[in-house]
């Protein structure tokens, strides 16, 4: 396209397509908006008809240039100013600069918008464009226009009313860090902040109902963590925040005042605190249960606690079966162990489970026996402690105030029933679609709230995310997920995995695919970090083929190796068996682990889809295996929910297979 005399800001010439490196250099954290309506762009693509007003003509020219070559925001702003002035002063420049369009199908509009989003450029909301076309048709309004396009967050005033509480002393089990400092609640508090309309509504509901059970369900990226920060900042002594991991808890500390009397607890710390409180109040006798991981082998544990053989099963095999039944019981609402809790591990459990029930009840008593546990014989998890506390009628200390429970969709029924009795109130922060196993019933007798507006992802992902929600089966007609209209999250579709850039976070549904990718990328010189939970899974699972191949190589039984190789062949992963047969052994695993780097030093982060909770990356790439159930029976999870979890991690770019929708449908039907 020829350059028009007097207009030298940008030249519309033929250039190579956008590269990943270019996108990383130019894509801004906050998108740049163009004064161009979608229907006008669609008309131009189909018929070559340019807009009639200078402001929108400038927006079209910027779209043409940004699609061909990424531009930094300052350059786009300059282009809009100069192009608008040119077209207003010389209408003859329009056919010169904007001629040659037309003849493209309706599906091209979506491709254009995704390409622009990948460069951090969005078409403005049509109502905003129409307003400025009416008020400033011949001059680009600059900052006023860009600010008008930022519509997801707006300033809201939230008021916390004064509360009147007793000056009771904190119980002995609540230490200085978690001691009550709720005297500040006696004065009303007002806070101004930027929130979505949903976030503001939820904050006002929590502030106005300080002693209630509030069941908040919000899609991924809707800002549940932002709400927690707002609550902790407004009433530092009023709330206790509980999260599953140390990382989640520590992420909040730098964002709160150093002198804030804020209670931030992991689920383990919370369970231990409640156990100490219950013990000191005479609920649990003399033994104070606490989270612990046994280092003993099953055979030694079975011997120490006197567990006997059942039929053909050895004591250690009985112990493993009993643990399975106990864990299923702790994940249920049943007050007593039942035969159905052993259905997975005992054939004909409804008839033959009696000896396993007796063994499980013995193991359960040992788990809370001070003599047995003096040496840390048996593991005690959060679910076990919660069940024990609920069975003994324990309640949380009142001085903890209102408890904010993050990722409450993974709470067991026992924990829910225990927390529901907490008089100062509980806020359950959950996304049922992120629970990878089982169903999430809503809390009974609770105030129910929902959030659907994402502040992490742009509306470009709406179709894919809502497809996954519709296939989940959790709701007959789930409320739609709404990506932000002022966020840019480009959906990139690949035909071959090799097209995906080796940066950002890569997600997998198969531990074997993760292993192959790790070895390949390290061989190529990439700086690779593997998510800790995924790395533990990999280290655990590779021991089976390593031991099986060694046994075969040394003349022992080949049955285990042949079974593993056959499974790889059936899954279309023959190269996995070839990897171990070619010498990937314990020493090779050690070299692989030594070659990995910390996340801060990595060019690419690898992770299994189920482990991606609470993570966010500008670029996320989903392997096709993310859309299928795990190859490992020990990692069974809802494949559609895992796909939803994975696709909601991306803030800037989401790479998915071209047939992602078909793969998702197949996963739901499996």
């Amino acid at each position: 396209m020829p350059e028009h005399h007097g207009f030298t800001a940008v030249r519309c010439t033929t250039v190579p397509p956008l590269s990943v490196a270019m996108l990383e250099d130019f894509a801004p954290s906050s998108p740049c908006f163009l004064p161009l309506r979608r229907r006008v762009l669609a008309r131009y693509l189909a018929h070559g008809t340019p807009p009639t007003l200078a402001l929108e003509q400038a927006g079209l020219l910027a779209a043409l240039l940004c699609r061909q070559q990424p531009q930094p925001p300052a350059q786009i702003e300059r282009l809009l100013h100069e192009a608008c002035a040119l077209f207003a002063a010389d209408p003859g420049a329009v056919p010169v600069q904007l001629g040659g369009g037309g003849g493209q199908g309706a599906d091209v509009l979506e491709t254009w918008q995704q390409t622009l989003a990948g460069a951090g450029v969005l078409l403005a909301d049509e109502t905003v464009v129409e307003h400025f076309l009416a008020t400033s048709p011949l001059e680009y309004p600059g900052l006023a226009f860009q600010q008008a396009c930022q519509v997801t967050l707006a300033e809201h005033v939230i008021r916390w009313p004064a509360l009147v509480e007793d000056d009771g002393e904190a119980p002995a089990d609540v230490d200085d860090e978690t001691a009550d400092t709720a005297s500040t609640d006696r004065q009303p508090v007002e806070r101004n902040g930027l929130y979505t309309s949903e976030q503001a509504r939820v904050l006002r509901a929590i502030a106005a109902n300080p002693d209630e059970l509030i069941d908040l369900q919000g899609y991924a990226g809707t800002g549940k963590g932002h709400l927690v920060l707002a609550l902790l900042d407004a009433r530092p002594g009023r709330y206790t925040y509980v999260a599953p991991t140390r990382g989640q808890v520590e992420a909040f500390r730098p964002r709160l005042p150093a002198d804030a009397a804020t209670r931030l607890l992991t689920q383990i710390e919370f369970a231990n605190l409640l156990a100490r409180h219950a013990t000191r109040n005479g609920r649990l006798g003399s033994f104070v249960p606490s989270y612990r991981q046994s280092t003993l082998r099953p055979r030694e544990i079975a011997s120490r606690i006197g567990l006997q053989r059942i039929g053909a099963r050895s004591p250690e095999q009985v112990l493993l079966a009993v643990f399975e039944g106990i864990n299923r019981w702790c994940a249920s609402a049943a007050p007593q162990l039942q035969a159905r809790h052993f259905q997975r591990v005992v054939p004909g459990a409804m008839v033959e489970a009696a000896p396993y029930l007796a063994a499980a009840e013995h193991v359960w008593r040992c788990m809370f026996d001070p003599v047995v546990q003096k040496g840390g014989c048996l593991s005690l998890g959060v679910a076990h402690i919660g069940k024990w506390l609920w069975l003994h009628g324990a309640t949380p200390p009142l001085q903890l105030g209102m408890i904010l429970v993050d990722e409450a969709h993974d709470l067991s029924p026992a924990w829910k029933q225990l927390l529901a009795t907490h008089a100062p109130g509980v806020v359950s922060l959950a996304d049922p679609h992120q629970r990878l196993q089982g169903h999430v019933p809503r809390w009974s007798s609770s105030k129910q709230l929902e959030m659907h507006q994402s502040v992490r992802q742009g509306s470009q992902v709406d179709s894919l995310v809502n497809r996954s929600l519709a296939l989940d089966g959790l709701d007959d007609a789930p409320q739609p997920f709404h990506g932000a209209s002022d966020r840019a999250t480009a959906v990139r579709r690949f035909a071959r995995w090799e097209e995906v850039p080796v940066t950002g976070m890569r997600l997998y549904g198969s531990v074997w695919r993760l292993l192959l990718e790790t070895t390949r990328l390290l061989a190529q010189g990439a700086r690779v970090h593997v998510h800790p939970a995924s790395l533990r899974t990999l280290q655990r699972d590779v021991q089976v083929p390593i031991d099986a191949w060694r046994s075969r190589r040394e003349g022992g039984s080949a049955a285990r190796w042949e079974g593993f190789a056959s499974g790889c062949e059936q899954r279309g992963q023959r190269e996995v068996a070839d990897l171990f047969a070619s010498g990937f052994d314990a020493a090779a695993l050690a070299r692989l682990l030594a070659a990995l780097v910390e996340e801060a030093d990595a060019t690419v982060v690898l992770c299994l889809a189920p482990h991606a909770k609470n993570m966010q990356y500008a670029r996320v790439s989903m392997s096709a295996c993310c859309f299928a159930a795990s190859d490992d029976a020990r990692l069974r999870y809802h494949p559609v929910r895992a796909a939803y979890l994975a696709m909601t991690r991306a803030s800037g770019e989401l790479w998915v297979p071209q047939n992602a929708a078909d793969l998702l449908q197949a996963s739901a039907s499996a």
Side-chain angles (χ1 to χ4, degrees):
M1 187 175 295
E3 180 179 326
H4 187 274
H5 178 70
F7 178 49
T8 59
V10 178
R11 188 171 183 169
C12 198
T13 57
T14 302
V15 295
L18 298 182
S19 70
V20 173
M22 289 177 177
L23 291 173
E24 290 176 336
D25 290 340
F26 288 105
S29 57
S30 180
C32 186
F33 298 91
L34 302 182
L36 177 62
R37 291 169 291 181
R38 287 160 184 78
R39 66 176 184 270
V40 172
L41 176 56
R43 186 174 66 234
Y44 175 79
L45 295 174
H47 307 293
T49 307
T52 57
L53 296 176
L55 177 61
E56 200 162 20
Q57 291 163 356
L60 176 58
L61 180 62
L64 289 165
L65 294 170
C66 291
R67 180 178 179 273
Q68 292 179 340
Q69 182 173 349
Q71 306 290 330
Q75 180 67 12
I76 298 174
E77 287 281 292
R78 181 185 172 199
L79 167 63
L80 290 170
H81 278 291
E82 295 188 3
C84 195
L86 169 70
F87 293 140
D90 184 3
V94 174
V96 176
Q97 295 290 338
L98 303 178
Q104 303 186 60
D107 59 328
V108 175
L109 177 62
E110 175 65 21
T111 303
W112 268 63
Q113 292 185 95
Q114 293 290 358
T115 302
L116 290 172
V121 176
L122 297 177
L123 303 186
D125 182 85
E126 297 217 354
T127 57
V128 175
V129 178
E130 288 170 355
H131 168 76
F132 283 97
L133 287 174
T135 59
S136 181
L138 305 179
E139 183 179 359
Y140 172 60
L143 181 60
F145 175 78
Q146 296 295 329
Q147 289 180 334
C149 294
Q150 298 285 349
V151 296
T152 299
L153 298 175
E155 187 165 335
H156 292 269
V157 178
I158 312 297
R159 185 177 187 276
W160 279 261
L163 298 176
V164 178
E165 297 187 3
D166 295 333
D167 290 330
E169 294 183 359
D173 57 283
V174 181
D175 56 28
D176 292 339
E177 183 179 355
T178 58
D180 185 35
T181 56
S183 60
T184 56
D185 290 359
R186 295 176 181 173
Q187 299 296 325
V189 173
E190 281 192 0
R191 290 286 189 273
N192 291 10
L194 293 175
Y195 306 106
T196 66
S197 58
E198 288 179 332
Q199 291 172 349
R201 175 172 53 84
V202 168
L203 282 174
R204 292 186 178 112
I206 296 173
N209 299 276
D211 301 322
E212 288 197 24
L213 172 58
I214 297 176
D215 181 6
L216 170 61
Q217 292 191 356
Y219 290 142
T222 53
K224 296 184 288 293
H226 188 49
L227 299 183
V228 171
L229 283 171
L231 293 167
L232 296 178
D233 175 68
R235 294 291 198 196
R238 172 63 186 168
Y239 302 104
T240 295
Y241 172 70
V242 180
T245 69
R246 169 60 55 193
Q248 289 169 268
V249 168
E250 293 304 324
F252 281 105
R253 293 197 189 277
R255 303 168 68 181
L256 293 166
D259 58 347
T262 303
R263 297 178 290 265
L264 306 174
L265 303 173
T266 65
Q267 283 185 354
I268 292 174
E269 292 168 339
F270 184 64
N272 290 344
L273 186 152
L274 265 62
R276 294 196 303 270
H277 174 68
T279 302
R280 289 170 178 170
N281 282 276
R283 292 281 185 180
L284 304 182
S286 60
F287 178 62
V288 183
S290 61
Y291 179 89
R292 63 192 69 195
Q293 288 292 316
S294 175
T295 60
L296 303 181
R297 294 181 178 275
R299 178 176 298 180
E300 185 175 355
I301 295 174
S303 175
R304 284 195 184 188
I305 65 176
L307 202 60
Q308 302 299 310
R309 174 185 297 272
I310 297 179
R313 293 195 179 188
S314 65
E316 56 265 33
Q317 291 174 325
V318 171
L319 180 66
L320 295 176
V322 161
F323 279 150
E324 171 76 11
I326 287 175
N327 290 338
R328 285 178 58 80
W329 172 54
C330 288
S332 75
Q336 294 181 329
L337 275 160
Q338 299 173 6
R340 62 185 176 87
H341 298 127
F342 295 88
Q343 286 177 330
R344 287 185 181 177
V345 291
V346 181
M350 301 308 290
V351 177
E352 303 175 8
Y356 288 92
L357 279 170
E361 289 168 355
H362 170 67
V363 171
W364 180 252
R365 287 191 296 270
C366 289
M367 290 169 70
F368 296 90
D369 185 297
V371 176
V372 173
Q373 290 288 42
K374 186 175 183 180
C377 180
L378 290 156
S379 296
L380 267 183
V382 170
H384 303 137
I385 297 173
K387 193 78 168 185
W388 179 262
L389 292 170
W390 173 62
L391 290 173
H392 286 77
T395 58
L398 297 180
Q399 285 75 13
L400 291 180
M402 185 174 246
I403 300 173
L404 313 176
V405 185
D406 208 350
E407 292 195 46
H409 45 261
D410 287 330
L411 284 181
S412 68
W415 272 111
K416 283 191 169 185
Q417 290 166 321
L418 186 156
L419 290 170
T421 64
H422 186 53
V426 172
V427 178
S428 164
L429 302 150
D431 180 358
H433 300 277
Q434 291 191 54
R435 179 170 180 137
L436 299 180
Q437 294 179 323
H439 182 64
V440 187
R442 302 212 68 154
W443 295 65
S444 58
S445 304
S446 64
K447 184 177 183 64
Q448 298 183 356
L449 303 171
E450 296 183 353
M451 296 197 304
H452 313 102
Q453 173 66 65
S454 176
V455 294
R456 174 188 300 159
Q457 296 185 289
S459 57
Q460 300 81 19
V461 305
D462 284 5
S463 176
L464 194 56
V465 173
N466 282 314
R467 180 71 178 271
S468 71
L469 294 174
L471 293 172
D472 188 337
L474 189 60
D475 303 306
D476 292 334
Q479 291 295 315
F481 169 96
H482 296 292
S485 62
D486 53 5
R487 301 288 186 274
T489 307
V491 178
R492 306 281 190 184
R493 300 183 184 275
F494 61 87
R496 297 179 302 108
W497 183 244
E498 291 73 20
E499 300 171 20
V500 176
V502 189
T503 56
M505 180 169 69
R506 288 184 163 201
L507 293 172
Y508 307 89
S510 163
V511 68
W512 306 119
R513 182 64 187 273
L514 173 67
L515 173 62
L516 290 174
E517 284 280 292
T518 304
T519 57
R520 183 175 65 84
L521 292 173
L522 287 173
Q524 293 175 354
R527 297 194 305 276
V528 180
H529 174 78
V530 179
H531 186 281
S534 300
L535 188 60
R536 288 192 295 271
T537 300
L538 187 152
Q539 290 177 272
R540 179 197 69 194
D541 286 8
V542 298
Q543 297 304 324
V544 172
I546 286 175
D547 292 344
W549 177 255
R550 183 177 64 246
S551 174
R552 180 185 184 278
R553 187 185 66 229
E554 294 175 353
S557 172
R560 282 198 304 162
W561 171 255
E562 290 172 356
F564 176 79
S566 175
C568 291
E569 189 77 31
Q570 292 173 7
R571 295 191 300 268
Q573 296 179 336
R574 184 175 182 178
E575 65 271 30
V576 175
D578 291 343
L579 175 69
F580 292 99
S582 64
F584 189 89
D585 54 12
L589 175 62
R591 290 193 297 271
L592 180 148
L593 298 177
L596 298 176
V597 301
E598 295 298 322
E599 184 176 4
D601 300 322
T603 54
V604 61
V605 175
L606 311 184
C607 181
L608 292 172
H611 299 153
K613 288 185 177 182
N614 302 301
M615 299 184 73
Q616 175 181 325
Y617 276 81
R619 176 180 286 122
V620 171
S621 305
M622 295 176 63
S623 173
C625 58
C626 287
F627 297 89
S630 171
D631 299 325
D632 185 345
R634 291 170 293 179
L635 273 181
R636 289 298 178 192
Y637 54 79
H638 196 301
V640 173
R641 293 185 193 169
Y644 160 80
L645 171 65
M647 66 182 64
T648 52
R649 301 304 97 196
S651 61
E653 279 187 359
L654 174 63
W655 288 75
V656 297
Q658 285 183 344
N659 60 341
D662 294 336
L663 293 172
L664 203 59
Q665 181 69 56
S667 295
S669 305

